[in-house]
Amino acid sequence: QAVVSTQSTGGTVHIFAIKNPELNKRLTVANVGYLGTYAGSQWGMSSFTLRSECPCICVFAPPGSTPGTAVKNAVIALCLDGTFHKYVFTADGNCNREAYNVFLDITQDLEI
């Protein structure tokens, strides 16, 4: 399954299916005229939210990196605030945090 992830300025990470775009979600009231082009927009197949306004780098974990589960899709987010997040997602849109840790203790004294 080919997927790509993006992070919005609000801290939401969106996961889009590339080869199977029918897995991506769409607004169900697309024929309501007052919504304009927003009504026809395509949303990701899955998403999760990190702390807003905190830049991060997202990478896909290799298949099989989630032992003990049937889930093979995972996204790892490394954030500028020193946090580590691992989310697993399925093709039907379910997304759950599997791991979280803080690797850096950034205080008010440091400017980023």
Side-chain angles (χ1 to χ4, degrees):
Q1 174 176 337
V3 291
V4 67
S5 70
T6 61
Q7 181 188 15
S8 69
T9 56
T12 302
V13 175
H14 303 274
I15 302 166
F16 292 91
I18 302 296
K19 286 190 177 180
N20 298 322
E22 65 274 359
L23 295 175
N24 298 323
K25 299 173 185 163
R26 292 194 178 270
L27 190 59
T28 57
V29 291
N31 55 355
V32 177
Y34 63 86
L35 292 176
T37 58
Y38 181 77
S41 63
Q42 184 169 304
W43 298 340
M45 64 182 272
S46 190
S47 65
F48 58 92
T49 303
L50 302 170
R51 195 178 121 218
S52 70
E53 299 178 9
C54 183
C56 73
I57 296 173
C58 292
V59 297
F60 290 98
S65 66
T66 309
T69 68
V71 179
K72 296 180 182 175
N73 300 312
V75 175
I76 295 172
L78 301 171
C79 300
L80 189 61
D81 64 358
T83 57
F84 163 90
H85 308 261
K86 182 177 181 182
Y87 283 81
V88 293
F89 63 95
T90 61
D92 63 356
N94 290 326
C95 189
N96 296 300
R97 186 167 73 183
E98 184 178 81
Y100 171 81
N101 208 333
V102 179
F103 288 108
L104 298 175
D105 186 15
I106 298 176
T107 64
Q108 296 284 4
D109 298 336
L110 299 176
E111 289 188 35
I112 298 175

